């Protein structure tokens, strides 16, 4: 049995769960090193304290490796929920993946002894995934190194002034491919001028105008691990207000990074950046959490926000991305990924945060 599964079983035991249903493909891959994207079909790994770990999988999927665990195969026309239910004849408490669809969960609950309890069980895996081992850390470093190289090329494209937001984003796919990446970790954001004030702007056919800010938020997948970074630059010219907001956001980014070390609470990291933004006169204009955890998925369990008082630990990787968004004018966001080390943190992005005027 591998160490990751051992750690999940300990979490299960501590929480009183004798079985755990896992359906998140990333979590299953993390635990048994097999990736499958089932679409609408049921795909479940059941971990059990008695060691009877079982994968339930539709027989249309292809298995090209030995997984060293029991596999229950089923077809589209089989009563596969009953097949799953038969695994829990003596269950006291079953942990349920946060992503397990109601179309499977509700029929399953009807088939299980009414004395069996059901609990949200995702944290048993999520807590383990929060801390990256040495191999994961190296893959995350490389994914971020590639992202640094790629964003420089994106900024050079923007500097020509010839391309729409969509055209820049479309060319990024080819850039990532040249570095051996598997694709985007999320749909890239390129926001010109007022579009940059929308934190999750969908790239459109806008062209650059002198004085526009350009918010570029992008990430790739490298050998199964995600990168994510944001830089804001300015086209041809920058005014005093833009400079002031930019330096404020940069100050918040760097101040938050400076306090990161084991034992510091996630909510206090968020507060450090948020207080600086507020002192600059912007409160509602910083309208999102300071950061999110990242790894196999671009957004993993854990927030750098007021809602998380968890203390950070060595091996955690998360984003630090303060922003100010002035509707109808412009936006500024600066984002780095950080790896918590024994006595501080390592910033995984090295691309400059100096104010850049391009074009």
């Amino acid at each position: 049995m591998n160490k990751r599964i051992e750690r999940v079983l300990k979490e299960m035991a501590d929480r009183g769960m004798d079985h755990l249903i896992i359906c998140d493909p990333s979590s299953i891959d993390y635990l048994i090193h097999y990736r499958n994207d089932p679409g609408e079909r049921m795909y479940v790994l059941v971990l059990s304290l008695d060691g009877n770990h079982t994968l339930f999988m539709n027989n249309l999927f292809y298995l090209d490796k030995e997984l060293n665990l029991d596999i229950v195969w089923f077809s589209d026309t089989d009563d596969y929920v009953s097949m799953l239910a038969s695994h829990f004849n003596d269950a006291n408490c079953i942990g349920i993946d946060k992503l397990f669809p109601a179309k499977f969960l509700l029929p399953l609950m009807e088939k299980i002894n009414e004395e069996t309890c059901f609990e949200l069980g995702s944290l048993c895996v999520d807590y383990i995934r929060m801390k990256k081992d040495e191999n994961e850390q190296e893959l995350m470093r490389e994914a971020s190194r590639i992202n640094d190289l790629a964003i420089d090329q994106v900024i050079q494209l923007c500097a020509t002034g010839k391309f729409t937001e969509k055209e820049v984003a479309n060319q990024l796919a080819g850039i990532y491919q040249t570095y051996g990446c598997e694709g985007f970790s999320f749909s890239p954001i390129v926001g010109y001028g007022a579009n940059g004030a929308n934190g999750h702007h969908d790239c459109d056919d806008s062209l650059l105008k002198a004085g526009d800010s350009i918010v570029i938020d992008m990430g790739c997948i490298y050998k199964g691990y995600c990168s994510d970074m944001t830089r804001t630059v300015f086209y041809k010219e920058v005014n005093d207000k833009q400079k002031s907001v930019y330096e404020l956001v940069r100050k918040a980014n760097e101040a938050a990074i400076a306090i990161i070390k084991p034992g510091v609470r996630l909510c206090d990291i968020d507060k450090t950046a948020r207080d600086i933004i507020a002192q600059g006169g912007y409160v509602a204009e910083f309208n999102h959490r300071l950061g999110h955890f990242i790894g196999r998925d671009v957004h993993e369990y854990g927030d750098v926000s007021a809602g998380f008082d968890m203390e950070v630990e060595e091996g955690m990787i998360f984003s630090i991305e303060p922003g100010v968004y002035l509707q109808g004018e412009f936006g500024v966001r600066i984002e780095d990924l950080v790896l918590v080390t024994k006595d501080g943190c390592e910033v995984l992005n090295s691309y400059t945060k100096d104010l850049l005027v391009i074009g």
Side-chain angles (χ1 to χ4, degrees):
M1 183 169 58
N2 70 52
K3 291 183 179 180
R4 290 175 178 175
I5 290 179
E6 286 181 355
R7 293 169 66 193
V8 173
L9 293 175
K10 183 179 184 304
E11 288 285 343
M12 290 168 56
D14 290 345
R15 298 168 187 274
M17 300 173 192
D18 43 5
H19 302 280
L20 175 62
I21 290 176
I22 305 168
C23 69
D24 178 1
S26 291
S27 289
I28 294 176
D29 185 21
Y30 176 76
L31 293 171
I32 65 173
H33 305 291
Y34 172 72
R35 179 79 191 196
N36 182 33
D37 294 303
E40 77 277 12
R41 292 178 169 85
M42 191 180 82
Y43 174 56
V44 163
L45 172 65
V46 177
L47 298 185
S48 302
L49 292 186
D50 63 9
N52 184 23
H53 311 315
T54 306
L55 186 68
F56 291 79
M57 188 157 66
N58 194 296
N59 59 20
L60 68 83
F61 298 123
Y62 178 66
L63 188 59
D64 60 355
K65 61 190 296 185
E66 178 63 44
L67 295 181
N68 196 31
L69 77 167
D70 293 334
I71 301 177
V72 174
W73 295 94
F74 57 85
S75 71
D76 285 346
T77 56
D78 287 333
D79 185 1
Y80 42 82
V81 174
S82 291
M83 296 166 70
L84 177 61
S86 67
H87 196 78
F88 305 118
N89 289 330
D90 59 349
N92 294 310
C93 184
I94 303 172
I96 304 296
D97 193 318
K98 61 180 178 289
L99 300 182
F100 197 46
K103 67 178 182 178
F104 301 138
L105 176 59
L106 295 178
L108 176 67
M109 295 174 73
E110 292 176 356
K111 298 176 185 296
I112 300 291
N113 188 315
E114 63 182 15
E115 295 180 358
T116 300
C117 72
F118 292 83
E119 299 285 350
L120 183 61
S122 297
L123 289 180
C124 295
V125 183
D126 290 340
Y127 280 163
I128 308 305
R129 288 179 59 180
M130 289 180 92
K131 291 191 289 185
K132 275 54 181 178
D133 62 30
E134 290 184 4
N135 181 62
E136 291 178 296
Q137 292 174 24
E138 282 303 312
L139 292 172
M140 293 290 290
R141 287 188 182 97
E142 182 62 12
S144 288
R145 187 189 71 83
I146 290 170
N147 221 21
D148 284 340
L149 297 173
I151 201 169
D152 186 64
Q153 293 188 47
V154 169
I155 289 172
Q156 291 179 42
L157 287 172
C158 292
T160 68
K162 298 177 180 179
F163 301 107
T164 67
E165 295 171 348
K166 280 184 179 179
E167 289 169 337
V168 171
N170 289 340
Q171 291 187 63
L172 178 55
I175 293 171
Y176 279 146
Q177 188 173 16
T178 64
Y179 290 114
C181 298
E182 300 152 39
F184 297 136
S185 56
F186 61 96
S187 296
I189 299 169
V190 181
Y192 296 164
N195 290 341
N198 178 355
H200 278 178
H201 171 64
D202 290 326
C203 299
D204 62 24
D205 294 322
S206 296
L207 284 165
L208 279 167
K209 306 181 300 297
D212 276 348
S213 62
I214 309 170
V215 178
I216 304 166
D217 189 349
M218 51 185 269
C220 63
I221 302 174
Y222 176 75
K223 294 186 177 180
Y225 282 81
C226 297
S227 61
D228 185 7
M229 69 181 298
T230 307
R231 290 295 185 266
T232 303
V233 299
F234 299 88
Y235 183 61
K236 289 190 178 296
E237 58 192 49
V238 58
N239 62 39
D240 289 342
K241 184 176 184 180
Q242 291 170 325
K243 286 181 181 178
S244 175
V245 171
Y246 185 90
E247 293 304 334
L248 181 68
V249 172
R250 178 179 175 177
K251 180 180 178 182
N253 168 278
E254 293 177 343
I257 290 172
I259 72 163
I260 297 171
K261 62 180 180 180
V264 173
R265 298 187 304 171
L266 291 166
C267 56
D268 293 332
I269 301 169
D270 177 273
K271 186 176 186 301
T272 295
R274 203 166 297 277
D275 285 351
I276 288 171
I277 299 289
Q279 290 164 10
Y282 301 104
V283 177
E285 295 82 2
F286 180 14
N287 55 13
H288 56 76
R289 62 192 175 187
L290 179 64
H292 58 84
F293 280 66
I294 184 171
R296 287 173 179 257
D297 297 312
V298 69
H299 286 179
E300 295 191 342
Y301 176 79
D303 289 348
V304 188
S305 72
F308 268 75
D309 62 359
M310 178 187 298
E311 293 182 356
V312 304
E313 299 179 43
E314 185 178 358
M316 290 180 171
I317 298 179
F318 46 82
S319 66
I320 297 295
E321 48 182 301
V324 170
Y325 310 94
L326 304 179
Q327 298 302 312
E329 297 184 64
F330 65 95
V332 173
R333 181 164 65 251
I334 301 173
E335 175 185 14
D336 297 301
L337 297 186
V338 297
L339 163 64
V340 182
T341 60
K342 184 177 181 180
D343 54 5
C345 77
E346 173 187 346
V347 182
L348 300 187
N349 299 101
S350 60
Y351 197 82
T352 184
K353 288 182 275 194
D354 292 342
L355 191 153
L356 297 181
V357 180
I358 63 173

